[in-house]
Amino acid sequence: MDYRVVVEYAQALTNGLLLTVQISLLAFLFSFILAVPLASARLSAYRILRFFSAAYIEVIRNTPFLLQLFVLYFGLPVAGIDLTSYQAGLIALSINGAGYLAEIFRAGLASVPTGQREASWVLGITGWNRFKAVTFPLALRNVYPAMSNQFLLTMLASSLLSAIALPELTGSAMEINAMTFRSVEVFTVVTAMYLALSLSITFVLRKLAQKMFRERNTGIGTESFRIENAATVGGSV
């Protein structure tokens, strides 16, 4: 084995790694933005909202991601909508991740104790303010580990974007392999890069959780603190 070929193409692999990180972050952000209203719709009192949200989630969760990607990249041009490999990959990752995140958020929203909602109502916090100050922060704390895992899955799923010639990390590795025929050297290095990236992301997310939730528990987030106290007194309020 000769790993000098990997050194020669180190810049291409680095560019692929950066593209993987970039598209994973953007896709997760868009998934997050889409998943919150989907999860809220799943718990809505309106049947039509529950139906459309459930239909979206079931379609996404029960069809292969690669098929969703091909529909966007190869199917939309038939309707006159041409997407670049980057655009198709970003949209596919976003809508796929939203289907899973929506169920995670639904479980988180459902886990918020009824007493917290009742206490916020007693304190005069209603509507959007109650969701922003009470329901969402408590739900986020409950589902943060699952969200972190979903981000890692999104990052790893980005390797499938090589199927539409996007030069992310796996795509770059396949191009290098096609030029050098050094499959073992190239793919072992790329495997190590994915492992290092996953462990780094896990470390960062763990530190972020410690900072976010320690601050919330030590007094940042006054509304939640007041509501938790009111809920404690709850039954007699």
Side-chain angles (χ1 to χ4, degrees):
M1 291 189 292
D2 184 5
Y3 281 92
R4 287 177 297 180
V5 66
V6 179
V7 176
E8 293 175 9
Y9 290 94
Q11 186 60 53
L13 291 176
T14 301
N15 292 339
L17 179 65
L18 293 176
L19 183 56
T20 292
V21 173
Q22 181 194 74
I23 201 168
S24 299
L25 286 171
L26 287 175
F28 189 79
L29 174 62
F30 294 143
S31 296
F32 184 92
I33 293 171
L34 182 57
V36 173
L38 280 171
S40 300
R42 284 280 280 156
L43 300 172
S44 172
Y46 298 100
R47 182 177 298 179
I48 187 69
L49 292 179
R50 295 199 306 271
F51 172 79
F52 282 111
S53 177
Y56 176 92
I57 291 169
E58 290 302 316
V59 169
I60 293 299
R61 286 165 58 93
N62 291 287
T63 55
F65 169 68
L66 193 59
L67 179 61
Q68 298 165 16
L69 178 64
F70 285 167
V71 167
L72 287 173
Y73 189 67
F74 297 113
L76 287 184
V78 177
I81 303 174
D82 293 317
L83 299 175
T84 65
S85 57
Y86 184 89
Q87 292 169 338
L90 179 58
I91 294 172
L93 279 175
S94 299
I95 63 175
N96 181 268
Y100 291 90
L101 274 181
E103 280 296 278
I104 292 172
F105 280 131
R106 182 190 63 80
L109 293 173
S111 71
V112 176
T114 303
Q116 301 283 357
R117 300 190 183 95
E118 293 174 347
S120 65
W121 181 80
V122 169
L123 293 172
I125 305 172
T126 58
W128 168 248
N129 288 331
R130 178 173 61 186
F131 181 83
K132 180 178 66 174
V134 183
T135 307
F136 184 72
L138 292 173
L140 181 63
R141 181 169 58 186
N142 292 338
V143 302
Y144 186 86
M147 279 181 54
S148 301
N149 186 60
Q150 183 59 39
F151 177 71
L152 284 173
L153 291 176
T154 297
M155 185 274 292
L156 295 175
S158 69
S159 62
L160 292 174
L161 304 185
S162 60
I164 57 173
L166 186 71
E168 41 69 58
L169 185 54
T170 299
S172 298
M174 293 177 67
E175 291 179 5
I176 295 169
N177 179 61
M179 292 185 289
T180 64
F181 299 101
R182 291 287 183 176
S183 303
V184 175
E185 293 91 331
V186 171
F187 290 119
T188 53
V189 169
V190 170
T191 299
M193 292 175 73
Y194 272 114
L195 179 60
L197 180 58
S198 297
L199 294 176
S200 299
I201 290 172
T202 301
F203 176 79
V204 170
L205 291 175
R206 185 181 298 120
K207 290 299 181 181
L208 182 61
Q210 291 172 358
K211 184 176 187 300
M212 286 172 55
F213 301 124
R214 181 174 64 246
E215 287 182 348
R216 180 169 295 279
N217 291 335
T218 54
I220 296 179
T222 308
E223 292 299 334
S224 295
F225 178 74
R226 289 173 56 209
I227 289 162
E228 286 173 5
N229 285 339
T232 303
V233 194
S236 59
V237 173

